[in-house]
Amino acid sequence: MEDIKWYTRSLEEVSKGTDIVNGLNDSEVSASRVKHGENKLDEQKGRSIWMQLADQFKDTTIIILMVAVVINIFFGDKFDSFVILAIILLNAVVGVVQEGKAEKSLKALQDMSTPFAKVIRGGKEVSISSKDIVVGDVLVLDAGDLVAADVRITDSKSLKIQEASLTGESVPVDKFADITCVEDAVLGDRKNMAYSSGMVSYGRGKGVVVAVGMSTEVGKIASMLNETVNDPTPLQRQLNDLGKILGVGAIAACALMFGVGWFNGVEPLEMFLTAISLAVAVVPESLPAVATIVLAMGVNRLVDRNAIVRNLPSVETLGSASVICSDKTGTLTQNIMTVQEYWSDNDVNDFARGMLLCNDSRKLDGVWVGDPTETALSAWAESLDMDAVGLLEKHTRLNEVPFDSGRKRMSTINDIDGKNVVFVKGGVDEVLSQVKYYEANGVVSEMTPEYLEKIQVENKRMGTKALRVLTLAYKYVDNTDLTESAIESDLIFVGLVGMIDPPRPEVREAIRVAKHAGIRVVMITGDHMTTAEAIGKDIGLLEEGQLVVSGKDVDAMSDDELFEKVEHIGVYARVSPEHKMRIISAWKKHGHIVAMTGDGVNDAPALKRADIGAAMGIVGTEVAKSAADMVLTDDNFATVVVAVEEGRRIKDNIMKAISYLLSCNVGELMALLVAILFAWDSPLLPIHLLWVNLVTDSLPALALGVDLAEDDIMDRHPDMSGSLINKSMIWRIAYQGIVVGGVTLVAYAYGRGWFGVHGNDSVEQGRTMAFIVLAFSQLIHSYSIHSSQKSVLTSFWKNKWLVAATIVNGIMILGVLFIPVLNNLFKLGTLDMDHWIVVGLLMFVPLIIVEIMKALKLNGKH
């Protein structure tokens, strides 16, 4: 069928296009399938392992290192080249393996079963696989069925469909065959349509299939996902920016060295090889691997805390999030209608028993199934320590008048201890119109205007809380074989009950923590404004002065107007997927890093558009999970806040690793530049620098990557700078690097006998002392990095992995010195006791200097 707005067409117009009684025959089915295709969504083509591997080499720092590898192969030491290449490949393998593990975890979450559907074909009802449904089929809908395609309802008997996954509305929607809708009706208001992914919660009906596969509303959302471009994560951008800065720094250092070398008359080839040493000194070779492994460890920690992250940088992105846009139904709320309060002048058990008996829900495998409103009433009765199942069996139903959307009430006649009792449940006004009496404390009286006013006051009170209010009335009858009007007349009012899809119990605290951490939480839902506003206030999300707007309000705004107002809006109601995309884009234009949580099909495009999308793993649709960067396996909004804390810890630790690595590299760079400026022999060879950068520095940097979170980590506001290096870090890197470089040069000068203590001028001995002091001082310096404020005395044992890394690296450094093969490879000498004492003193100087700076409050802020 063409792209027609079927909800605007009358039942008569729909009937002209297809046989709504007998359905399609075999030839019509084949023709329709050829014309409109199969009823399945296009599968996104997965990335091959080669594409995943190629992505690992796009980082600027990696590119710089690859250039260094090529230069070294042709002009330098081939051993150095292979060491750098091994580190690059390790980084790539870790990234690919972790991404593969995340994808496997997600596949384990997917439901592999193919749903079936009932259709009328050739005048007979048949059950077929949902993917075999074609446009023009007559779909049969019964309670519990999943709507397998988009249909125009042609027959409805008290039909209600739960459309939360598509519209976000928590209450099932009444569906009618004999109405038409206005052209601009939003999905949730199209009462004559049923859409793919909906669930029939009550009644039964039929409908003509008008769209299948990618042409359905769900398919259109899936198409939007393909059109949504994934932006680089903040961490990817920041590491790339850092790589570019380091690249410029390497080029500048090499240019300076060439200029000085030229002035001093050094041979061009020798200058070129020295330039390679400088490039090695400037670029922290282990940084990409350290960042990747730290992120991978964070991902594994999050798995234990109920979150599966699909790609590594997304973990850190959450730590930078300044806005969380959350769906309501199933994310902030439980997606389970629950009785919140009741009002009655009678015994609550009698009231609840009446609601239980006038009810079509049933208990299967320990769970109440049926219409969400009715399951809520049954669960309420059971919560009062009533034997709900036993009462249903004991008090036999003798007659009933089913619920329909015209009367908006339901009636049953039950056997209560040998008496025939009528129970009527429904909307307040609809039941009160048939009430003649009321019961209070066991006494039945004729309804008065005063008591009626009392009922309406309570009804309005509950309504202001966005509760769905139902009424119960009853009466005794002698005969059970009565007409509808005879059953539903002269009733006795019992009470009111109010219910709602309640917030998750942990949500209030999670939002409080998020706000304290400077993160704005915004609700975006397809539900009604009144309900959304009530929930928003209840959970502490909506604050004084913040606005509540509808999808129509968003439609009326231009992108510029939305940009101006977005920071003042706390709740969006009755919104479409397109609205969610615009809202997220408006926040991002303000420079915010936006996280989006959701579970429904309607959330998927926004999950992909956001800087990080988090889908629910249990109730979340497969479309939502495939679009998300992270899947919450416990469907718990609070897990998002846990992930934010973990993300902040990871970013802090990556910044610690960067601060450590760059301060060490600045020290190496300073030692080489000073030597070049004064025309000294190089105090360090390229192999020394590679060993220190890739071995000595790497293990402590990795250990810093698993540092525990700072105590105040969720007291800070999000880092909006968009940089991994702030002014305080630059100051620390600079002065600490100068100290490390300074002690290295002092060691070199002492080893060469320039202080007059030892007469022999030995380059080998100078390099040996410089190498040992550089390596050990950097190891010890790593303990200063735990905290920019607290003394090392308070945090020395904070990280057992750093202690282990120090011991392992210390043994390796000594191995290079005392194992003859390695000693020769590194072109090192031996030291006497006097030189070892000087080495022992110099290696602690950087730690002592940093401790003094911390005590004087000169070490910079966080």
Side-chain angles (χ1 to χ4, degrees), residues 98-99 101-102 292-305 307-316 646 649-650:
Q98 193 62 43
E99 193 171 326
K101 283 171 65 178
T292 300
I293 294 170
V294 168
L295 288 170
M297 290 189 290
V299 166
N300 291 331
R301 279 170 58 96
L302 279 174
V303 169
D304 296 333
R305 303 181 81 175
I308 297 174
V309 178
R310 302 185 67 171
N311 59 78
L312 295 181
S314 297
V315 186
E316 184 277 332
E646 181 64 19
R649 186 188 73 85
I650 286 170

Side-chain angles (χ1 to χ4, degrees), residues 4-14 141 147 149-156 159 161 163 173-183 185-195 205-210:
I4 298 171
K5 294 181 178 178
W6 289 101
Y7 54 89
T8 65
R9 300 299 177 91
S10 67
L11 191 55
E12 290 74 20
E13 290 176 284
V14 175
L141 301 170
V147 181
D150 289 359
V151 302
R152 168 60 164 89
I153 304 295
T154 58
D155 181 38
S156 61
L159 183 62
I161 296 180
E163 297 179 328
V173 180
D174 292 312
K175 297 294 182 179
F176 310 94
D178 54 356
I179 67 167
T180 57
C181 303
V182 296
E183 191 166 329
V186 296
L187 277 175
D189 294 335
R190 298 173 190 174
K191 302 295 182 68
N192 57 6
M193 298 288 294
Y195 291 104
K206 295 177 185 175
V208 176
V209 175
V210 296

